Amino acid sequence: MTHVRRGWWLSAAVSAAALLLGGGGVRAAAAQDAVIHGRVASDRGEPIPMANVIIEELRAGVTTGADGRYTLSVPAARVRGQDVVLRVRAVGFKPGSKALKLIAGDQTVDIVLTYDVNLLEAVVVTGVQEATEAGKVPFAVARVDASQMPVPGANPLTQIQGKVPGAEIVSASGRPGAQPAVLLRGPTSLNGQGRGQDPLYIVDGIIVNGGLPDINPEDIDNVEVVKGAAAASLYGSRAANGVINITTRSGRRGLEGVNFHFRNEVGTNDIERDFGLAHYHALVMDEHNQQFCTAVTGQPLCARTFNYFYEQYRINNDPGFFALSPPNFPVDPGATITGSNPFATGNVLKERFQISAWPGPTYNAVRQTVTGQLYADNSLDMTGRVGTTQFYASGSNLTQQGAIRFLHGFQRNTFRLNVDQLIGQAWNIAFRSQYTRSTQDGLNQEDGGTAFFRLTRVPGIVNVLQRDTLGRLYIRPNLQGGGSQNQNPLYLFENIERNDVTNRFLGGVTVQFTPPTVNWFSLDGSFSYDIRRQTTLQFLDKGFRTTTSTPGTNNGQLTRASSGLESLNGSVNAVLRHSFRPDLLGRLRLSYLYEQRTVEAQSASGSQLAVKGVTSLVNTRQDTRSTSSSLEDVRQIGLLAGVTLEYKDRYIFESLVRRDGSSLFGSANRWGTFGRVSGTWRMAREPWWFIPQIDEFKLRATYGTAGRTPAFAAQYETFNITTGGVLQPGTLGNRNLKPELSKELELGADIEMLNRYGLNITFARANVERQILQAPVPASAAFASQWQNAGALRNTTWEASLNLPLIQRRDLSWSMRFIYDRTRSYISRLDIPLFFYGTPLQGTGSMFLARTGERVGTFYGHRFITGCAELPAPFSADCGFTGASFQRNDDGFVVWVGAGNSPRDGITRNLWETQLYNPTGNRALSPWGVTLNWGVPILLRGNDKAPLFVALGNALPNFHFAVTQDITWRRFSVYASVDASIGQSVWNQGFHWAHLDFLSKDVDQVGKTVETAKPIGYYWRTSPADGFSGLGGFYDQLLPNNYTVEDASYAKLRELIFSYRLGPISGVGDWEVSFIGRNLFTITGYRGFDPEVGVGGGDAGTAAVNAVDAFTFPNLRTFSFAVATKF
Amino acid sequence: MRKSFAVLCGVLLAGLAACQQPLDVNNQNQSDVDRTLATPADLETFIGTTYVVAHQATLGGSNDGLQTQLQVMGFENVSGLANFAMGPRGAIPRPPITNTPNATGDAGNQFDFFRGHRAARMATMGLAALKIPRLGTTALGSVGRDRRARAFAHFSLGVALGNLALAYDSASILSEFDDFKAAIPLSGYRAVMTEALKHLDSAIAIVRGDSATNANFPLPTTWISVPSTVTLDTLFFIRLARSYRARFRADVARTPAERADISAGGIVDWAKIIPDADSGIALNSGDLFLAMNPNTGWDVVWPAQAFATGSANWHQMSQFILGMSDTTHSGTVYAYDTWLNTTRFSRAPFMVVTPDKRFPQGTTRALQIADTAQSRSFTGRPYWRNRPDGEDQPVDPFGMSMYDFYRSKGFNNANRIGNYPVMTRTEMRILAAEGYIRTGSFATAIARINVSRTAANAALPAIPATITDTVTVVPGGTACVPRVPDAAQNFRGSKCGNLWDAMKYEYRVETAYCGYGMWFFAGRGWGDIPEGTALNWPVPWEELFVRSMPIYGTGGLGGPESSGRGSYGLFDGGVYGW
């Protein structure tokens, strides 16, 4: 492993200072000069280039060359035989020093530096008032540098998954180009509508608004993560969710000249796991089990039969735009139970077992849909220094086609140019720029997820790749009932043309003014600009097929849309320093910041095309056209003052106050104040410190506040322009609306033992007050609601990281790193009525409950009882023992079996068709007075007989942990990262809803015994007691229940890379080859595609809370091979 | 150096001084009240949208309204699906409306309550704004124009409050004198209805005999989206307002006792209903259709589902109601009697063979299916279809049948674009007939009942004008229509209906899917809904929370504001429950 050096900010500053102070130390030595030369090397013997070698007393310094060697000359006039200290600093290493006597002539001083494995010397720039050594920072800043990201991700956020304690990064969708959801120390808002819950993203000082996948991860030098309000106070009203600060590479660490780095990675994507589709069926067939029975009016069951494959051909091969009607099944356990005798439904549900094999070949639609596709990532970068100009330039091309047949995924081209220019002795200009162009064909090509929904509705007999004589995929290969859900999902993938093109430019310039003659003042100003434009085309050509006649779709649809985001921010910062005494330093920082951003979007669509293949909107019929647009303009101003006092290098006190004005606040509260106080005590530096094995023991405490701005429209009184131009009151304006205010106390300790082993522990408690919630208003006001500051959340977090560099030798190194975090988020106060919330997806709108004391993310739904105590008296006493009327079955659910029976007697004693019949609602006869079906799970009910809504599990994990292993042996290196999320639940909606059609594999009874087999009704709808026609089965309703809100704990082998360093080939370059895997393996009991799943948006505004497995693009697994070289 | 520092301080001070103005940003995406009512034309347009908003509070705008619940509770529809609370609200025995957060159907409860108030509030906002002269001494440019707008606002306000009084036990009485954003106290449904009727009175009074106002008629069809063949003149407007008055006065009753109150000054004043019904749209050119088009805001969301092709799990008709049409009998046992005399969960749908041509004709399912392939126009026949048996869907056997309502089937085939009935002449005729029966004018009542009963698309024998009571059975002998469950047989058999039953029968057949909760609102006053059915909805829990009032529910067996046993045996031990 090559360790990329850290802390280039400090390095550069020190280097520059050394050069300035020394008046240019690298010069020809005169005869009387003192000339000190030597070699700076690591404790593994590797030379350390770009190390700064300084004699502070003389303000003289030089930088080591590529071989680690240096030569420092001191003019004879300054040589008096005095004692001096030669100090050496290098990024990624602990400082070193040697005392020597300064005499004329040559002397050799070699210095060995030890690796700063715990990054205590690394320079932190995020959240602090001025670039500061990590060891002095009074709060937790997680820093992930390039050495910890040996596996380039498709976007920057996936690269830091499992590397930052307290950061929940959820790749909720596997769609190429998708951005993961991020929560730092838990959710800070109960309602994130229009705002999300993401942290503030900064790239090279530029505040960026989404679109992180536009950034090429290989351009990243390091990522700093500030998780809580205490640390993020510096960023004011937008920082309550924390800050992720990405710093890209620069030439500041480069030696004179130019170095190139080239990397090529080629591989394939697929999907690790399957969705459990049923393999068998319960349809009625003829006596040979070859032909299916059809319903014929007036004729007995099975009077006529048909061949499934022929009927598939017949209804799909019609030249028209839609399939013909399939035959009716007499008993159709599809979306519905239909047939010539539907009135015997109860018997059908109790009599039929899903054990029939399909005639002929069978298929797995998931495996037909998932197909390995290309993953390719090429990059070339150039780092160099020419005189006082340092630069980094790169170009890259990423192709991530995904793993879904017919989809082509995400392609991204990036170009970056970073230039640092020193002008004279006082001015330093840093210019950062990036241009990205990307294309994506996903999004609605899955038809808003319905394609994946339909994928869970494909029976085993269906070949979704079957084409008709015109070469079209069968549009309705599934003959059973269920209407449009039987549409072939692959037809959508193949025939919806979707193309999103994004162009983005990020640019910024920072000018630093450091007067060479004054060390008490410095000034810098920055300006940055971010523009992102996206255009969208979605096209269904004329002739698009559907399962039934749908003229608006069959004749084509077209949508063209564009959206843009333009933001700029500028700041001016002044730092004043003063030494009150030699060991007491003070700093004052003053800043002014301005930010402006505009978000706009337009969309036009129409249908019923005049001609085929023309994607102009004029091709649509005029009366089908619709348009929409939106425009949001946001402005913010910040004023900041901060003071830092540093005493004896071990007591550090800091405070700051920031005054923020925002156009997003209510007009009566345009300004808010945020701030923090913090302290650091480096106890191990005390003279009395008595544990020499512990060389760093830092205690830190910070209390700070930060805010979250409201969504754009929240403050305004709004009349919505509804369909037909009808104006209706929307939200009642609130001129007093304030930002959410997070008050966080963070306490922590950073410990280093034996100069090697590092341990960081942090406790944080945040009260996020003034929750911005949609409060109901009286109906008489006509407005639907009003955004109000009306509640509080409390997040309590424990974080720990342990760094274990077990072996650190030249030929062999082995490091392990553990991280752990645990966050609990509770609603500590609610000033408005309790409410249910969720996402706009069907069935998910009320899956969470908001009330005082409730843990955020708790799923609510129906519960099938699992314990006897859940039955009302006296039935609870007749439960749980052999012979009892109620017993627990082999699925763990309490069921009614009748006295003397067992749950295993259903078939052998012909009990499945019996009921605890109670039409009069007599509570003495049956629990809650409802009729119960034999052996079928029982819903927990309330006094009014209605099923209760009870807590089922929580979407947020109990804790995370991750382990990384980094081993290098000679030319071989291995890096592996395992990331685990424990204790969270996911509502497996795909699994749940597939029960309605008996297409979840657990409806299959093949392999079960007569004692354990269950009829199809066991899995189907709830019972007539609730107005439904089922028996009370697991499908129940559309809403969550405790069968399908399931534990989704997992551990993932997130990254694995084997590398071998070839070295130069034919004397050229320094070659390395690697085998790489991403998301290789998941250990979980979860029954869906991937336990790492969720849906964005909704009330919570983040997929990290909305843990619903609702037909999203499954996560991708990648295998690849990479070649890299540098020269 | 000092200069640089001074520059920095200057910048900071400039930022402080200039900071307020850059932070004022307009919302370009949505209007506020000032921009909404910025010009006289805007104000007039705003008032012109109040009726469509009132419509959206009942039939349009969302599946999540009360209409789905009203229909299953009144037997106008049967569905076992969870969607929009249909299954749970239609369950037997009737569950209560618990009115708790996330409880079944609470979205619909909140939707109609909120939307009804919104429509009323928009009307009051318009009325208040009309007081402010914007063009000379008038708000809209002329006295007549002002008065037309005022009349329309009163009309919409009356309709909105009237619908609230039908569905809810309490609502806010809104007026143009309110602080619009304040919580107006809740009043009982009687007081709300009284106020609704006053506004309808005001609308009529402004228009009637005012030449200045009349000069501004007909109304724009964006105000009331009628088909192009209808002119929104003053006559139409007044008749429509009177029709609403008749409907509201009759249907506001919660119980048979309330509906039977015929004295002036009581909750139901039949002496006023009769002239309003007789002068309502019954005497006008036709039923009130609204020209629906989702793209214009005039939409009927839910009822369109009933006309959708495909699975019957969204909609079928109750065999209990349809059986009243059936005349099939073997010997003396009618199929309906057999059905009534079968235990609840053993019942199976049966063929309805009836001389009433509004039902598919034929003695076999195949024949009836063939007969269903008739005209799909609203005035055509049959009104119901016998669906292909492959589309049958199971629900509670009490509701399961092989029949769907198919009148206006054509409406659904054009993406909900077309004319949809929201008030029929028959409704007015039957309301008048009920009034005449209740006031002893039997012949006049019979004449009105016979209009639809003997029409070509029904062809039932006329009820003789000689009947002067509500005991004598309708003509037809063994083929009499309707038949009704017989209390003397403990509701396990049926008998020929009388004039009263015939009146209710015509009402049901002719008003199905033709308005807001037609069968439910009438049924509760007739005592024809199952025991324990909530008589009205409670104030939604969200509203109660805002007002710091305790949550309460309605309905359920023995529960508050629930129906009694009624006339057709819809109770445990009666038609169902053994």
Side-chain angles (χ1 to χ4, degrees), chain A residues 677-695:
Chain A
V677 292
S678 58
T680 304
W681 181 19
R682 304 183 79 174
M683 206 188 298
R685 300 198 172 199
E686 294 287 358
W688 48 262
W689 184 249
F690 56 95
I691 311 174
Q693 293 83 359
I694 296 179
D695 42 283

Side-chain angles (χ1 to χ4, degrees), chain A residues 521 574 635 716 719 723 729 1028, chain B residues 1 8 22 25 29 31 80 118 294:
Chain A
F521 174 70
R635 296 170 195 173
Y716 299 110
F719 275 66
T723 309
F1028 300 95
Chain B
M1 188 58 251
L8 172 68
V25 170
N29 301 322
S31 173
R118 170 182 283 180

Side-chain angles (χ1 to χ4, degrees), chain A residues 1058-1091:
Chain A
F1058 292 96
S1059 297
Y1060 181 75
R1061 184 165 167 259
L1062 299 168
I1065 298 177
S1066 300
V1068 176
D1070 186 3
W1071 296 83
E1072 186 176 70
V1073 293
S1074 307
F1075 292 93
I1076 300 169
R1078 301 177 180 88
N1079 293 328
L1080 286 183
F1081 184 68
T1082 307
I1083 301 170
T1084 183
Y1086 181 66
R1087 294 179 288 200
F1089 273 119
D1090 192 337

Side-chain angles (χ1 to χ4, degrees), chain A residues 295-298 328-329 335-340 342-343 345 513 515 518 520-523 552 572-576 590-592 594 608 623 629-637 639 661-664 667 670-671 712-713 715-730 732-733 776-785 832-836 842 845-847 849 860 917 919-921 931 944-946 949 1020-1021 1024-1029 1036-1039, chain B residues 1-2 4-5 8-9 11-12 14-16 18-36 45-46 49 52-53 56 79-83 86-88 90-93 95-96 98 101-103 110 113-115 117-118 121-122 125 172 174 179-184 293-297 311 313 316 343-349 365-366 369 387-396 400-402 415 541-543 545-547 557 572 577-578:
Chain A
V296 181
T297 300
N328 291 315
F329 291 83
T336 54
I337 301 290
T338 65
S340 60
F343 315 117
T345 295
F513 173 61
V518 179
W520 61 270
F521 174 70
S522 64
L523 179 73
V572 180
N573 307 290
V575 178
L576 294 86
L590 300 171
S591 298
Y592 171 86
Y594 179 76
Q608 313 258 23
D623 64 353
S629 71
S630 67
L631 174 67
E632 294 181 1
D633 194 7
V634 176
R635 296 170 195 173
Q636 304 201 124
I637 292 171
L639 302 167
S662 173
S663 64
L664 296 171
S667 57
R670 280 277 187 254
W671 289 84
F712 174 75
Q715 64 175 302
Y716 299 110
E717 176 185 279
T718 62
F719 275 66
N720 297 320
I721 304 169
T722 61
T723 309
V726 177
L727 283 166
Q728 297 193 34
L732 191 59
V777 295
S780 55
F783 291 91
S785 60
I832 61 174
L834 64 86
F835 59 92
F836 285 86
Q842 187 176 13
S846 55
M847 59 188 178
L849 172 61
Y860 271 74
Y917 187 52
T920 58
T931 294
D944 61 358
K945 298 185 185 177
F949 267 74
W1020 208 52
R1021 288 182 185 275
D1026 302 305
F1028 300 95
S1029 46
D1036 183 33
Q1037 295 183 32
L1038 295 166
L1039 305 172
Chain B
M1 188 58 251
R2 307 253 176 228
S4 300
F5 188 66
L8 172 68
C9 294
V11 168
L12 291 174
L16 273 173
C19 57
Q20 188 63 47
Q21 193 175 359
L23 300 182
D24 289 335
V25 170
N26 276 333
N27 181 0
Q28 300 294 331
N29 301 322
Q30 291 138 323
S31 173
D32 51 25
V33 69
D34 292 337
R35 284 181 283 176
T36 298
T45 301
F46 182 78
T49 62
V52 70
V53 178
Q56 289 173 355
S79 172
L81 292 183
N83 306 61
M86 292 186 298
I92 292 173
T98 55
N102 219 28
Q110 206 264 351
F113 189 84
F114 176 77
R115 290 291 179 125
H117 282 89
R118 170 182 283 180
R121 175 55 77 211
M122 289 174 66
M125 291 169 77
S172 294
L174 307 185
D179 171 357
F180 292 160
K181 296 175 183 175
I184 307 302
N293 183 342
N295 298 320
T296 64
S311 68
N313 52 13
Q316 52 189 293
T343 56
R344 179 180 161 199
F345 290 101
S346 300
R347 286 173 177 146
R365 194 163 187 183
I369 290 170
R387 77 178 77 88
D389 62 357
E391 296 179 21
D392 286 336
Q393 296 292 332
V395 289
D396 185 330
M400 188 160 50
S401 76
M402 57 186 79
N415 297 320
W541 64 267
E542 295 94 333
E543 183 78 6
F545 264 121
V546 170
R547 296 170 180 271
L557 284 175
D572 183 20
W578 76 91

Side-chain angles (χ1 to χ4, degrees), chain A residues 28-39:
Chain A
Q32 297 83 9
D33 291 352
V35 180
I36 307 160
H37 50 81
R39 182 173 181 263

